[in-house]
Amino acid sequence: MGNRIHNAAYQSKVMSAEDAAALINDGDRLGVSGFTGSGYPKAVPIALAARAKAEHEAGRSFRVGLNTGASTAPELDGELALADAVDFRTPYQSDPETRKRINAGSINYADIHLSHIAPQVRNGFHGKMDVAIIELTAIKADGSLVPSSSIGNNQAWLDAADRVIFEVNSWQSEDLEGMHDVFGGLRKAPLDFAIPVFHASDRIGSKYLTVDPAKVIAVVENDTPDRNSPFKPLDDVSKSIASHLLDFLDLEEKAGRLPDPMPAMQSGVGNIANAVLAGLLHGQFENLTSYTEVIQDGMVDLIDSGKLSVASATAFSLSPEYAKKMNDNAKFYRDKIILRNQEISNNPEVIRRLGMIAMNGMIEADIYGNVNSTHIMGSRMQNGIGGSGDFARNAALTVFVTPSTAKDGAISAIVPMVSHVDHTEHDTDLIISEYGVADLRGKSPRQRVPAIIKIAHPDFRPMLEEYFAVAQKVANGQHTPHDLSQALSWHQRMLATGTMKV
Ligand code: 0RQ
């Protein structure tokens, strides 16, 4: 492990992950670094999980509360869940073991907008934060803390926690130094200043995190890579959804409804988002900027091509191949990529000001445009709302993308009524499936219905038409007609028979 701790005071606090984990108590609330598989602590959580197992075997209780930036990785969420060491989790996760326990009722999960969680902690809504565990790239001789591959809520947790453990990870490139922009001016609401981001490229903070050194109880060294899951190869459905969006943007531009250059884009994680980025690479748009949460492979390609001048985010979410490329070339990318606090990357004030285009995945939408991003059949948590709500509510053009069906065609992504609402019809401008674009702008709920049914899978279109016809006959009003006796019958049928089809 290369020595990345250049400050004598912090050097004197170096210890093993096991010794650091021993400083965490049953019932502690932890604030950990980590966002979409990057920049999370990798050694202390594993040691903590082992400790929890040993305590449980000795008949003692040992469970902690876990605040992160967003999803982490098997070494953190996975290990702690497997050890039954988590009793509370917030704000976004995608770990299978954690998901299993959330849905079994043994982990309490608070699914909070990613821009809201740090202010909520600062305002005291979540009680006391006991320990922050934050990954760093290096500690400089003067004590400056160089962040790693995500910023997330790191500064907020460093400010809030009573005790702090650092993991200094020498796998992270030292050339990341200078890429970060940590805004330290965030205080309890109300704020008496504007967040001064007027362009995606604006830097408003410091290159370094800050902490009261008296709070630091341990420094642990490691050299483990970020999780970095590879992307699936682009399938035909993702490619056709991406091409519908790009065609739509072309038409918008021709109609004079798209500013030049195109406003900053946010794209959610996953295959479809990557397909859109790949499409932009070969498309006509130049001088692109992105103001988003995560930097994906497609954005790196866009930077390389010169089409994307700046990518502002809070974390990387790269495949192993691209993570290596980033590590090898961080000096080049650090002028073009800005990693900010997630309160700033997802800040509603800034998103509104930039007049952004936001594009996120969804689980299902209803015939009026309400969107469910989180729940399977009303009750089971998939991942969480993440930053989708921060962007969907505040962007100038809010797009949801989805394959028309799930589970080999058994489930329709377009349903009479969503089984859970994350984004209301008021926020949804476009829904895009492989069958096209439903443009909901300027339409009343009833006018939206044919536009949305048109992008449903053909197997489900007649059923949706029939539902709407009956709803208009039996509803108590014609603004948003529903047949309440049948509105959730598709979900009930799926649970009873394994398909939404009749
Ligand atoms: O299940 O894994 O068992 O196969 O849901 O679905 O199609 O692989 O799509 O990975 O893009 O995820 C909404 C979950 C989509 C994601 C969601 C099942 C499907 C599969 C995943 P399997 P896909 P994706 C930026 C913005 C909220 C957060 C967000 C998400 C699994 O986009 O978490 O947007 N969004 N953040 O089979 C039953 C349906 C289903 C369904 C899909 N209608 N019914 N199951 N699935 N539709 C990032 C951050 O905020 C950090």
Side-chain angles (χ1 to χ4, degrees):
M1 259 179 279
N3 181 16
R4 297 285 187 88
I5 306 161
H6 303 292
N7 174 280
Y10 286 119
Q11 187 62 255
S12 71
K13 294 181 184 178
V14 171
M15 63 182 76
S16 70
E18 291 69 27
D19 288 347
L23 302 173
I24 296 168
N25 303 319
D26 177 34
D28 275 353
R29 175 64 67 93
L30 311 182
V32 300
S33 61
F35 200 107
T36 54
S38 57
Y40 55 95
K42 298 160 178 76
V44 177
I46 292 178
L48 188 64
R51 168 141 186 254
K53 270 189 216 153
E55 290 291 305
H56 296 161
E57 276 157 24
R60 290 186 290 269
S61 135
F62 195 99
R63 300 185 90 199
V64 294
L66 204 52
N67 290 25
T68 62
S71 51
T72 65
E75 301 100 304
L76 200 167
D77 272 311
E79 288 284 330
L80 288 171
L82 279 167
D84 193 23
V86 182
D87 66 3
F88 177 87
R89 177 69 170 79
T90 195
Y92 178 82
Q93 57 76 43
S94 62
D95 175 69
E97 295 298 333
T98 301
R99 183 184 298 133
K100 208 186 288 173
R101 286 160 182 80
I102 290 168
N103 288 316
S106 68
I107 295 180
N108 286 298
Y109 176 48
D111 185 19
I112 295 172
H113 295 298
L114 293 184
S115 75
H116 284 191
I117 177 70
Q120 288 187 5
V121 167
R122 193 176 302 118
N123 286 311
F125 303 169
H126 290 257
K128 194 160 80 73
M129 178 167 284
D130 299 289
V131 185
I133 314 175
I134 307 293
E135 183 180 91
L136 300 173
T137 295
I139 302 179
K140 293 172 62 110
D142 64 0
S144 300
L145 309 171
V146 183
S148 73
S149 46
S150 64
I151 294 283
N153 287 314
N154 294 358
Q155 189 57 58
W157 299 167
L158 289 171
D159 293 343
D162 289 345
R163 316 192 295 285
V164 171
I165 298 173
F166 286 128
E167 277 198 17
V168 181
N169 186 346
S170 53
W171 175 82
Q172 302 282 5
S173 166
E174 280 186 288
D175 290 334
L176 289 176
E177 184 179 348
M179 186 180 278
H180 309 94
D181 189 63
V182 182
F183 188 60
L186 295 158
R187 300 188 296 271
K188 279 188 183 182
L191 297 181
D192 58 0
F193 57 88
I195 303 295
V197 175
F198 297 92
H199 308 96
S201 55
D202 288 347
R203 288 183 175 268
I204 62 171
S206 158
K207 294 173 185 170
Y208 308 107
L209 296 160
T210 52
V211 73
D212 171 1
K215 299 203 291 191
V216 180
I217 55 171
V219 180
V220 174
E221 293 175 287
N222 79 64
D223 58 0
T224 314
D226 278 335
R227 166 178 44 121
N228 298 318
S229 334
F231 286 100
K232 292 181 230 159
L234 293 184
D235 57 20
D236 289 344
V237 168
S238 303
K239 282 190 206 158
S240 78
I241 293 171
S243 78
H244 290 313
L245 175 59
L246 295 165
D247 290 349
F248 173 86
L249 292 175
D250 279 345
L251 289 174
E252 285 297 287
E253 201 229 11
K254 291 196 177 87
R257 282 190 291 262
L258 207 58
D260 180 19
M262 190 152 85
M265 272 191 92
Q266 175 258 346
S267 63
V269 285
N271 250 11
I272 300 174
N274 238 12
V276 171
L277 296 172
L280 285 170
L281 190 63
H282 303 110
Q284 49 133 330
F285 295 104
E286 304 282 339
N287 299 320
L288 299 170
T289 56
S290 117
Y291 198 81
T292 187
E293 294 173 357
V294 291
I295 308 282
Q296 303 168 78
D297 291 7
M299 274 181 214
V300 176
D301 291 337
L302 281 170
I303 290 173
D304 290 349
S305 73
K307 292 205 168 201
L308 184 70
S309 56
V310 66
S312 161
T314 192
F316 289 117
S317 182
L318 299 171
S319 66
E321 183 197 337
Y322 277 68
K324 179 168 181 337
K325 183 173 175 177
M326 186 55 58
N327 257 1
D328 293 346
N329 301 289
K331 208 176 262 180
F332 167 76
Y333 289 113
R334 72 185 173 199
D335 294 334
K336 296 161 184 71
I337 292 176
I338 306 175
L339 298 184
R340 310 177 186 272
N341 321 46
Q342 71 190 60
E343 277 176 276
I344 304 296
S345 66
N346 287 32
N347 191 280
E349 170 191 339
V350 175
I351 295 164
R352 186 67 66 97
R353 184 182 294 135
L354 295 182
M356 293 186 51
I357 300 172
M359 178 195 65
N360 289 292
M362 60 177 228
I363 285 175
E364 59 183 7
D366 66 25
I367 54 171
Y368 297 113
N370 298 291
V371 169
N372 168 13
S373 294
T374 55
H375 283 67
I376 307 290
M377 306 300 139
S379 305
R380 289 188 72 80
M381 173 53 65
Q382 180 68 16
N383 300 330
I385 193 165
S388 57
D390 295 323
F391 288 94
R393 169 57 60 88
N394 298 295
L397 184 71
T398 292
V399 185
F400 287 99
V401 288
T402 183
S404 64
T405 61
K407 303 294 173 205
D408 296 325
I411 296 176
S412 174
I414 306 298
V415 290
M417 182 184 262
V418 283
S419 60
H420 174 92
V421 189
D422 293 291
H423 313 290
T424 70
E425 48 149 326
H426 315 284
D427 297 333
T428 310
D429 295 317
L430 306 183
I431 303 175
I432 306 182
S433 79
E434 70 274 29
Y435 291 103
V437 176
D439 184 353
L440 310 181
R441 296 172 301 169
K443 292 191 171 74
S444 74
R446 288 160 55 88
Q447 291 173 321
R448 289 170 162 223
V449 176
I452 295 179
I453 292 180
K454 198 183 68 194
I455 62 145
H457 191 280
D459 288 356
F460 290 102
R461 283 182 209 162
M463 290 166 65
L464 290 164
E465 276 155 7
E466 190 191 332
Y467 174 84
F468 183 52
V470 174
Q472 290 175 93
K473 290 200 184 97
V474 303
N476 69 335
Q478 291 303 314
H479 180 65
T480 311
H482 267 302
D483 174 359
L484 293 180
S485 72
Q486 294 302 311
L488 293 172
S489 61
W490 293 33
H491 301 84
Q492 286 176 328
R493 191 159 52 245
M494 169 63 205
L495 291 172
T497 68
T499 175
M500 283 183 171
K501 291 181 180 162
V502 186

